[in-house]
Amino acid sequence: MPHPIFTPTEVALLTSANYILSPKDHAQLSTPDDQFTRLSWQMVKEIIQENRLEELKRLPSDLRRYIIWCETIRRDYDGGVMGYILRERLGWDNLGEGEVEKRRRSVVPSGKGGLFEVEDDVKILTNDWPYGLTPDITHLVVWTKTPIPIAEDGDLTPSSRRSIDEFVDAVFSSAVGKENVVWFKNWRSLQSVPSVEHIHVLVRGATEKVVREWVEGPWGTKGESVGKLRN
């Protein structure tokens, strides 16, 4: 049964989609925005360091809008949420669902190069539906066409973690300082778009100009490849 916070029209949408609220979402939607504790920088760092990613939550009103947006896109957009992200947000028209799954299952990455090595295989966007963070924190998402290898236990491999660290340091930490940047990769069960590889980057104190450079450049480094930045 949808939460009573939803309008009758929204209830009809969720019911037709057989959408079932999780206990976590139901409890969160019962919290007024003014009683929600926004995540501070210290809280975010501790959550990520201790791998308590399920504690990263959206503002209740944002969660409500996000649920309705997802179900509306699934109903109205060809390809659903994944198709929308690929075509409308990433502009990767040539990366259909079959190609996404082929890349994911491939032992050798199907992109033009290794992880974060080719501009066309990477896109940095601000998160359209960020977590409930304090205003000094910017939530970005780094999308990649190249699969990110994980170990048998579901955690990142040492090589994957090293590649991500190098990319994040070169692009984000170099602009605002390493102490102002944290990143994480959601467990697959927590991912809204699990078929397209991505990591989350949270940055403290970034100016609008710096954020604009990240999202408007080929991948936020004014055309320089990560390979060049490493040298």
Side-chain angles (χ1 to χ4, degrees), residues 114-125:
L115 188 58
F116 302 126
E117 291 183 355
V118 178
E119 293 171 3
D120 290 345
D121 287 348
V122 181
K123 189 71 69 71
I124 298 172
L125 300 175

Side-chain angles (χ1 to χ4, degrees), residues 43-119:
M43 293 167 67
V44 164
K45 288 197 302 179
E46 291 176 359
I47 288 172
I48 294 173
Q49 288 170 355
E50 297 172 10
N51 202 27
R52 295 182 282 116
L53 302 182
E54 73 281 359
E55 296 182 19
L56 295 170
K57 301 177 181 178
R58 294 181 173 88
L59 196 69
S61 59
D62 285 344
L63 174 62
R64 171 186 170 276
R65 287 191 289 269
Y66 177 67
I67 290 170
I68 295 301
W69 179 84
C70 285
E71 293 310 312
T72 300
I73 291 295
R74 290 190 178 103
R75 181 192 65 186
D76 298 342
Y77 195 89
D78 183 27
V81 174
M82 191 186 89
Y84 181 90
I85 295 293
L86 285 171
R87 291 190 287 273
E88 305 298 334
R89 295 295 281 124
L90 297 172
W92 289 345
D93 292 331
N94 63 332
L95 195 61
E97 185 171 359
E99 178 64 14
V100 167
E101 290 306 313
K102 184 177 73 174
R103 287 168 185 254
R104 175 177 292 281
R105 295 168 184 161
S106 177
V107 176
V108 179
S110 302
K112 297 176 183 177
L115 188 58
F116 302 126
E117 291 183 355
V118 178
E119 293 171 3

Side-chain angles (χ1 to χ4, degrees), residues 1-225:
M1 174 69 67
H3 194 282
I5 194 173
F6 294 108
T7 67
T9 300
E10 293 168 344
V11 169
L13 169 67
L14 298 177
T15 301
S16 66
N18 294 318
Y19 184 86
I20 300 176
L21 280 176
S22 68
K24 170 187 170 183
D25 286 349
H26 197 284
Q28 189 173 346
L29 289 170
S30 301
T31 305
D33 280 3
D34 59 5
Q35 294 180 24
F36 177 82
T37 301
R38 287 183 176 271
L39 298 170
S40 67
W41 185 245
Q42 185 60 37
M43 293 167 67
V44 164
K45 288 197 302 179
E46 291 176 359
I47 288 172
I48 294 173
Q49 288 170 355
E50 297 172 10
N51 202 27
R52 295 182 282 116
L53 302 182
E54 73 281 359
E55 296 182 19
L56 295 170
K57 301 177 181 178
R58 294 181 173 88
L59 196 69
S61 59
D62 285 344
L63 174 62
R64 171 186 170 276
R65 287 191 289 269
Y66 177 67
I67 290 170
I68 295 301
W69 179 84
C70 285
E71 293 310 312
T72 300
I73 291 295
R74 290 190 178 103
R75 181 192 65 186
D76 298 342
Y77 195 89
D78 183 27
V81 174
M82 191 186 89
Y84 181 90
I85 295 293
L86 285 171
R87 291 190 287 273
E88 305 298 334
R89 295 295 281 124
L90 297 172
W92 289 345
D93 292 331
N94 63 332
L95 195 61
E97 185 171 359
E99 178 64 14
V100 167
E101 290 306 313
K102 184 177 73 174
R103 287 168 185 254
R104 175 177 292 281
R105 295 168 184 161
S106 177
V107 176
V108 179
S110 302
K112 297 176 183 177
L115 188 58
F116 302 126
E117 291 183 355
V118 178
E119 293 171 3
D120 290 345
D121 287 348
V122 181
K123 189 71 69 71
I124 298 172
L125 300 175
T126 52
N127 193 327
D128 295 331
W129 301 97
Y131 295 118
L133 308 167
T134 53
D136 58 321
I137 304 174
T138 302
H139 187 172
L140 301 115
V141 183
V142 180
W143 302 85
T144 173
K145 296 179 183 179
T146 306
I148 300 176
I150 58 175
E152 291 184 2
D153 62 0
D155 198 4
L156 291 167
T157 66
S159 176
S160 295
R161 193 171 295 279
R162 183 167 56 252
S163 294
I164 296 172
D165 276 334
E166 289 177 352
F167 179 84
V168 170
D169 285 347
V171 176
F172 300 102
S173 301
S174 63
V176 297
K178 195 176 183 67
E179 70 279 7
N180 294 311
V181 180
V182 291
W183 67 266
F184 65 94
K185 186 179 186 300
N186 256 332
W187 314 323
R188 189 169 176 81
S189 62
L190 295 176
Q191 292 178 5
S192 301
V193 190
S195 295
V196 187
E197 292 282 22
H198 58 282
I199 62 168
H200 294 261
V201 180
L202 303 180
V203 182
R204 179 178 62 169
T207 64
E208 290 184 7
K209 179 177 182 292
V210 170
V211 173
R212 190 165 56 249
E213 289 177 352
W214 285 331
V215 301
E216 291 182 357
W219 54 24
T221 57
K222 299 180 180 178
E224 294 183 277
S225 70

